[in-house]
Amino acid sequence: GAGVSQSPSNKVTEKGKDVELRCDPISGHTALYWYRQSLGQGLEFLIYFQGNSAPDKSGLPSDRFSAERTGGSVSTLTIQRTQQEDSAVYLCASSLDRSPNYGYTFGSGTRLTVV
Amino acid sequence: RKEVEQDPGPFNVPEGATVAFNCTYSNSASQSFFWYRQDCRKEPKLLMSVYSSGNEDGRFTAQLNRASQYISLLIRDSKLSDSATYLCVVTPRGNQFYFGTGTSLTVIP
């Protein structure tokens, strides 16, 4: 696609429920990243996928968080048993390859609110 | 120590002013550097890469000082539309980008 597409754009869920967030990267981009941004805060790295390599999960805050990327394209971030502190904007980004020289392109994010 | 540190501001400047932001990084082996712009409730967008020799794009100039481990962004002739949060990004390792918390700029008419 023309850009990084994320869905849903907004999600309100009850505490304790599971949620799935979807990211469709730019076609041909092999690297895909998930970040989250809490209100007024910086971006917090969550997970990174590069091609067929094992993902870098070092940023996942707890075992309630998981992500997968099927077929090297679409990625799903799953949060189980959501807590109020999970409320944030979840941003996905993709880049052409693992070279850092290109920067990357963000989707417009999913705004998650846990009530 | 954080990988990347920025002065959060806010910077409030009049139209036409010149304003500069700095960003320091902790890992001397960092490879690549960028400035992103983030408008309120929007996603960050790449503003410009920062090259070792410095680079300019219109009213924007980015510079890298490896010896002192900081990058800078200079905005000349500020416009109202420049109001945003500016994020510096550093790659200490090849596969992960570290973002600063951002510097808030408001250009005042």
Side-chain angles (χ1 to χ4, degrees):
Chain A
V4 178
S5 177
Q6 290 189 247
S7 61
S9 55
N10 283 282
K11 176 73 177 179
V12 180
T13 190
E14 292 181 354
K15 178 181 173 181
K17 300 278 190 182
D18 298 352
V19 295
E20 281 191 355
L21 313 180
R22 176 188 167 103
C23 173
D24 196 346
I26 292 173
S27 179
H29 279 196
T30 57
L32 186 148
Y33 305 76
W34 283 98
Y35 285 82
R36 73 176 176 181
Q37 188 173 33
S38 301
L39 188 63
Q41 302 297 311
L43 276 76
E44 177 188 2
F45 168 77
L46 297 177
I47 189 169
Y48 160 72
F49 295 90
Q50 170 59 42
N52 295 320
S53 302
D56 176 354
K57 303 179 182 180
S58 60
L60 295 178
S62 77
D63 59 7
R64 295 187 296 104
F65 288 73
S66 63
E68 62 178 23
R69 188 180 185 191
T70 54
S73 180
V74 173
S75 176
T76 303
L77 177 69
T78 301
I79 309 173
Q80 295 177 309
R81 305 181 303 281
T82 52
Q83 304 294 313
Q84 287 185 330
E85 62 262 28
D86 299 335
S87 296
V89 176
Y90 288 80
L91 290 159
C92 174
S94 70
S95 68
L96 192 58
D97 63 16
R98 72 174 295 153
S99 166
N101 295 323
Y102 296 97
Y104 42 43
T105 303
F106 283 89
S108 55
T110 294
R111 186 172 301 275
L112 175 66
T113 304
V114 181
V115 297
Chain B
R1 184 181 173 185
K2 290 183 179 178
E3 295 276 0
V4 181
E5 298 207 50
Q6 284 185 259
D7 178 351
F11 284 69
N12 300 314
V13 303
E15 265 187 295
T18 295
V19 62
F21 312 131
N22 282 343
C23 170
T24 58
Y25 60 94
S26 60
N27 190 325
S28 59
S30 295
Q31 301 174 13
S32 297
F33 310 86
F34 305 90
W35 283 100
Y36 276 71
R37 169 191 171 130
Q38 186 171 27
D39 292 290
C40 188
R41 300 177 71 87
K42 298 286 190 181
E43 73 275 17
K45 293 186 177 178
L46 180 63
L47 179 64
M48 57 197 304
S49 302
V50 186
Y51 303 128
S52 297
S53 55
N55 48 302
E56 188 174 311
D57 183 1
R59 297 181 293 108
F60 297 81
T61 300
Q63 293 196 314
L64 167 64
N65 185 318
R66 284 196 182 273
S68 300
Q69 293 183 209
Y70 74 85
I71 63 173
S72 64
L73 178 69
L74 180 78
I75 305 175
R76 291 181 298 277
D77 189 22
S78 300
K79 310 291 185 191
L80 296 177
S81 57
D82 294 335
S83 297
T85 296
Y86 290 84
L87 304 165
C88 69
V89 182
V90 174
T91 57
R93 292 179 291 279
N95 64 334
Q96 190 177 129
F97 289 39
Y98 284 90
F99 284 78
T101 52
T103 298
S104 174
L105 171 67
T106 300
V107 180
I108 303 165

